[in-house]
Amino acid sequence: MNKQLNGTVALVTGASSGIGEATAAELAGCGASVALIARRRDRLEALAARIKNEGGRAHVIEADISREDQARNAVEQTVSELGRLDTLINNAGVMLLGDIVGAPVEEWQLMVEVNIMGLMYCAHAALPHLLRAAASGPRRVADMVNISSVAGRTVRRGAGVYNATKHAVGAFSEALRQEVARAHVRVSLVEPGAVDTELASHNRPEVLAQLRSRIGEIERMKSEDIARAIAYLVSQPRHVAINEMLVRPTEQEL
Ligand SMILES: NC(=O)c1ccc[n+]([C@@H]2O[C@H](COP(=O)([O-])OP(=O)(O)OC[C@H]3O[C@@H](n4cnc5c(N)ncnc54)[C@H](OP(=O)(O)O)[C@@H]3O)[C@@H](O)[C@H]2O)c1
């Protein structure tokens, strides 16, 4: 396998399932040492064991990124255990859908806390390390990949607050991209369409039924499809930045 990321360190939030799990495995396969962040330690330990078994290096950090202290500590522990930080994959997220009228406000609070504040806490804590890696690391470039969604571009009834959080990720990413571009920190936005993961399973039963009828029986992507796209982004030569990547299943219309 291609070892373009040898000697680099990547932190992946939401590495206990779905896209984050697949991305951590993919980056480790490309030679990166990976810090695995999420709340379900058992799932992170299982992934770390798999990565180590395949000759890679992984470090498990149990953290709730919606808590600023835990997000910051996860970044600092990555640097103290693995030595540096070249790549932040801001992937952890929740998607709780349904109409706005009468919605349980706690669902909105959770999405804002994880999808926006959690991502921004991790970004804020990681930036000094990414800037250092870009200034003095062997590759002289560093990456922050923020996972948005098709929902960060296309607004639909029944997804209003999830749409709002992913649009916020897009706005934050673009402003930050402009801020750190000259310092060779690349900020990229990845916008997946439907991927077969646990994401939708946390919705209320009536919302799940609506979602099934809306997306229908199209063939969804696998987490590995997005993981390969992310590995492609962060493996570009220093002078190339892929700012935005929209990846849908072939059959997904909207
Ligand atoms: N699946 C799709 O169709 C799709 C499409 C577009 C975009 N996305 C985006 O892709 C990202 C990953 O989602 P996925 O589809 O892979 O779903 P998933 O399998 O449910 O994974 C979500 C991950 O986020 C972690 N997480 C949630 N809350 C957290 C918190 N407070 N602190 C730390 N980690 C937390 C979960 O780990 P723990 O529960 O162990 O903490 C889990 O590892 C999300 O940002 C999602 O919005 C997904």
Side-chain angles (χ1 to χ4, degrees), residues 10-77:
L11 183 164
V12 182
T13 68
S16 61
S17 64
I19 295 169
E21 179 179 2
T23 301
E26 182 74 25
L27 298 183
C30 296
S33 298
V34 286
L36 312 174
I37 320 295
R39 293 165 304 174
R40 287 171 293 175
R41 173 174 282 277
D42 55 334
R43 300 273 293 251
L44 298 178
E45 299 281 10
L47 174 61
R50 182 151 60 89
I51 288 172
K52 287 174 189 166
N53 211 23
E54 287 163 13
R57 188 173 178 217
H59 179 68
V60 166
I61 304 171
E62 181 184 330
D64 176 346
I65 59 142
S66 71
R67 298 273 308 275
E68 187 192 350
D69 55 337
Q70 294 190 29
R72 193 164 298 283
N73 177 58
V75 169
E76 295 313 324
Q77 224 192 96

Side-chain angles (χ1 to χ4, degrees), residues 3-9 30-33 84 86 138-139:
K3 295 280 182 190
Q4 288 190 58
L5 300 179
N6 259 345
T8 69
V9 173
C30 296
S33 298
R84 48 187 295 110
D86 301 270
R139 297 166 76 224

Side-chain angles (χ1 to χ4, degrees), residues 171-242:
F172 177 76
S173 301
E174 176 55 17
L176 180 59
R177 185 192 70 73
Q178 293 173 22
E179 195 177 320
V180 296
R182 292 288 177 98
H184 284 91
V185 176
R186 300 182 292 211
V187 179
S188 310
L189 194 65
V190 174
E191 297 154 318
V195 185
D196 191 9
T197 70
E198 297 172 14
L199 189 72
S201 67
H202 308 293
N203 280 284
R204 287 170 276 137
E206 64 276 20
V207 173
L208 265 181
Q210 277 167 10
L211 196 62
R212 275 193 213 103
S213 70
R214 194 173 83 190
I215 298 199
E217 290 311 310
I218 66 163
E219 184 183 356
R220 288 167 170 68
M221 293 184 286
K222 304 272 175 251
S223 295
E224 290 72 18
D225 298 322
I226 303 301
R228 280 197 310 278
I230 293 170
Y232 177 72
L233 287 180
V234 304
S235 304
Q236 292 302 307
R238 182 174 184 257
H239 65 286
V240 178
I242 300 173

Side-chain angles (χ1 to χ4, degrees), residues 119-137:
L119 178 144
M120 296 197 301
Y121 295 144
C122 292
H124 187 265
L127 275 163
H129 301 292
L130 296 178
L131 286 162
R132 193 169 310 122
S136 56

